[in-house]
Amino acid sequence: QKEVEQNSGPLSVPEGAIASLNCTYSDRGSQSFFWYRQYSGKSPELIMSIYSNGDKEDGRFTAQLNKASQYVSLLIRDSQPSDSATYLCAVNPDQKVTFGIGTKLQVIP
Amino acid sequence: DTGVSQDPRHKITKRGQNVTFRCDPISEHNRLYWYRQTLGQGPEFLTYFQNEAQLEKSRLLSDRFSAERPKGSFSTLEIQRTEQGDSAMYLCASSYTVTENYGYTFGSGTRLTVV
């Protein structure tokens, strides 16, 4: 079992819709959880971090964490074509961050 | 601060040659990480430093790979006797400490192509 599991997609949503990206992780000792956005050919960029169960909102982005279910999600409201990218879920079970393979999001105008 | 800087941006080398990459982290960050990313995969951990000490190396890191961080500032990653399977994006990241929940700041990466 991989440490961080994501569906590779692509996930296609129409412009203005809510995009929902999901991730599960295996190590119950993980304390911090991150979402990175990566445009094609570019390096990852941190967009959200979450450490406690529940929701954390930042603008159009909401991260959700459920440690009991070992589940992390990212919601993007009012999706824009500029949101089209790969979204990497990342978890730190120890002193380094482990990444999933990323979910490719396509926002259709 | 200009962020994490990596050099070169692109490197094409012949199989069997040695290559060296450089990373300059954000000056306030005491941790520096190297990752490798191939197409369609997430970044894969290689090694990390806290100040000048190399604290962990991935089992995936063969003896042909070596990393240094003299004086706790910039870091270099050297690959000896390159193979075609080494072709990837090599990413450097820095942070205060992950457990302080700042996450990483990545550099732009070095794309290596071994021909």
Side-chain angles (χ1 to χ4, degrees):
Chain A
Q1 181 187 5
K2 289 188 177 180
E3 292 183 63
V4 181
E5 297 262 15
Q6 290 183 264
N7 187 320
S8 61
L11 172 67
S12 295
V13 299
E15 184 176 356
I18 296 175
S20 178
L21 304 162
N22 305 311
C23 168
T24 59
Y25 61 94
S26 60
D27 192 321
R28 287 191 173 273
S30 301
Q31 298 293 321
S32 304
F33 307 86
F34 307 95
W35 284 98
Y36 284 80
R37 178 176 61 199
Q38 187 172 27
Y39 292 112
S40 181
K42 303 295 186 182
S43 62
E45 171 193 13
L46 180 66
I47 55 171
M48 288 289 288
S49 57
I50 187 167
Y51 326 113
S52 305
N53 281 328
D55 295 359
K56 179 181 178 182
E57 186 174 321
D58 184 1
R60 295 186 297 112
F61 298 99
T62 298
Q64 299 175 317
L65 174 61
N66 184 326
K67 289 186 178 181
S69 300
Q70 295 174 248
Y71 179 86
V72 192
S73 66
L74 178 71
L75 300 178
I76 306 175
R77 289 181 299 282
D78 188 24
S79 295
Q80 301 297 309
S82 59
D83 295 326
S84 297
T86 296
Y87 289 80
L88 297 161
C89 175
V91 176
N92 81 317
D94 45 35
Q95 298 301 308
K96 62 186 182 293
V97 170
T98 299
F99 290 84
I101 64 170
T103 298
K104 186 172 184 178
L105 173 66
Q106 296 176 337
V107 180
I108 311 301
Chain B
D1 198 326
T2 56
V4 179
S5 176
Q6 289 190 248
D7 185 70
R9 293 291 301 276
H10 304 275
K11 178 71 176 178
I12 300 174
T13 191
K14 292 184 178 180
R15 188 176 53 186
Q17 298 294 304
N18 299 343
V19 294
T20 300
F21 310 140
R22 176 178 171 128
C23 172
D24 287 88
I26 292 173
S27 56
E28 298 84 17
H29 289 175
N30 63 346
R31 287 197 174 178
L32 186 150
Y33 298 80
W34 286 99
Y35 281 76
R36 176 173 64 189
Q37 188 177 25
T38 54
L39 196 63
Q41 301 297 315
E44 177 182 57
F45 171 77
L46 295 178
T47 187
Y48 90 95
F49 295 82
Q50 180 156 312
N51 300 314
E52 68 275 9
Q54 187 173 20
L55 297 187
E56 187 174 345
K57 290 174 60 174
S58 168
R59 286 170 291 178
L60 301 172
L61 209 63
S62 76
D63 291 343
R64 297 184 297 106
F65 288 72
S66 62
E68 295 182 340
R69 191 183 183 196
K71 302 178 182 179
S73 55
F74 71 92
S75 176
T76 58
L77 178 69
E78 180 183 18
I79 308 174
Q80 295 182 328
R81 305 181 303 281
T82 53
E83 301 172 356
Q84 287 189 322
D86 297 331
S87 295
M89 174 79 88
Y90 289 83
L91 294 163
C92 176
S94 69
S95 72
Y96 292 103
T97 60
V98 174
T99 53
E100 289 183 7
N101 302 324
Y102 288 100
Y104 292 165
T105 300
F106 280 95
S108 299
T110 294
R111 183 168 297 282
L112 173 67
T113 302
V114 181
V115 297

